[in-house]
């Protein structure tokens, strides 16, 4: 049995190596420490890390983001594939799109773990047309505590499984319909 992960740094390194082994390059790494909490966190501090990855060979509309948190209660985190979709006016009814994306997530990502989905719309200015709003989906998987306790080989295996599922999501016809731009590419 391998040693469990107890602090951020070894976990960051293991996840980075595992994601890079699947063909994604590290784009950025940010670490933060937070203090001065009140309420139930009074007297505590947390350390967090954000890792961002891109594929050098595309697609340029997708990235992998990892969020990790170290507290006195242990490590937590998640890994997500983030995909820019066509504008809101092209996406269609949000509830239908979210239902289709949830089905895609359930089909490709292993059950028995939390798999949140976020569908986000964003306008750069309040006077813009809602139809032109940017649209993004995040397919997330929570990092199970059992994987953290099992150590490095299990983290590699788990991450490899998640990255393979993300690859299937990116290849899916459901997602292709939502990422095809109807505008000509910039020359």
């Amino acid at each position: 049995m391998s040693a469990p992960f107890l602090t951020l740094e070894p976990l960051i390194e293991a996840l980075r190596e595992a994601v890079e082994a699947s063909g994604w390059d590290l784009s950025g790494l940010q670490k933060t420490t937070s203090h001065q909490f009140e309420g139930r966190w009074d007297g505590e501090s947390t350390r967090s890390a954000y890792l961002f990855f891109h594929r050098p060979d595309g697609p340029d509309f997708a990235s992998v983001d990892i969020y990790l948190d170290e507290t006195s209660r242990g490590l937590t985190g998640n890994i997500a594939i983030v995909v820019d979709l066509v504008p809101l006016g092209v996406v269609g009814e949000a509830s239908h799109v979210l239902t289709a994306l949830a089905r895609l997530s359930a089909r490709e990502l292993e059950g028995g773990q939390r798999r949140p989905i976020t569908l986000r719309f964003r306008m750069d200015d309040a006077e813009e047309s809602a139809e032109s709003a940017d649209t993004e989906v995040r397919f997330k998987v929570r990092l199970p505590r059992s994987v953290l306790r099992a150590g490095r080989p299990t983290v590699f295996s788990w991450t490899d499984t998640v990255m393979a599922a993300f690859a299937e999501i990116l290849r899916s016809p459901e997602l292709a319909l939502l990422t095809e731009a109807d505008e000509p590419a910039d020359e």
Side-chain angles (χ1 to χ4, degrees):
M1 174 109 176
S2 183
F5 288 98
L6 303 174
T7 60
L8 277 179
E9 285 71 20
L11 181 57
I12 290 169
E13 190 58 34
L15 287 167
R16 177 182 179 173
E17 288 177 26
V19 173
E20 287 177 339
S22 68
W24 294 77
D25 288 349
L26 184 69
S27 305
L29 168 63
Q30 177 184 355
K31 293 182 191 177
T32 62
T33 301
S34 302
H35 305 278
Q36 300 181 342
F37 291 104
E38 294 185 20
R40 75 178 197 164
W41 292 97
D42 189 26
E44 298 280 334
S45 67
T46 64
R47 295 182 335 123
S48 301
Y50 303 88
L51 292 83
F52 307 97
F53 298 87
H54 71 283
R55 292 240 5 169
D57 57 351
D60 61 355
F61 58 81
S63 66
V64 171
D65 296 358
I66 298 177
Y67 169 75
L68 303 171
D69 203 23
E70 176 186 319
T71 70
S72 60
R73 296 179 181 171
L75 292 169
T76 60
N78 65 65
I79 184 170
I81 184 90
V82 182
V83 182
D84 293 328
L85 304 178
V86 294
L88 176 59
V90 180
V91 163
E93 178 65 37
S95 63
H96 298 299
V97 172
L98 190 55
T99 299
L101 294 172
R103 275 193 229 118
L104 173 59
S105 177
R107 183 180 76 223
E108 299 300 340
L109 292 167
E110 211 173 277
Q113 58 190 348
R114 299 221 16 198
R115 303 164 292 176
I117 298 175
T118 303
L119 184 60
R120 180 180 300 172
F121 305 109
R122 177 182 52 252
M123 297 188 319
D124 289 331
D125 187 84
E127 292 184 7
E128 287 182 3
S129 164
E131 287 77 27
S132 67
D134 293 331
T135 306
E136 171 190 278
V137 63
R138 287 178 176 266
F139 297 93
K140 274 186 202 177
V141 181
R142 300 275 166 94
L143 187 55
R145 289 192 191 272
S146 60
V147 170
L148 294 169
R149 284 191 301 269
R152 189 175 178 86
T154 303
V155 164
F156 266 80
S157 176
W158 179 84
T159 304
D160 186 55
T161 300
V162 170
M163 295 305 295
F166 285 168
E168 291 302 314
I169 286 171
L170 287 175
R171 283 192 285 270
S172 72
E174 300 96 322
L175 199 62
L177 291 172
L178 298 171
T179 58
E180 295 174 355
D182 58 353
E183 301 172 6
D186 293 337
E187 302 281 329

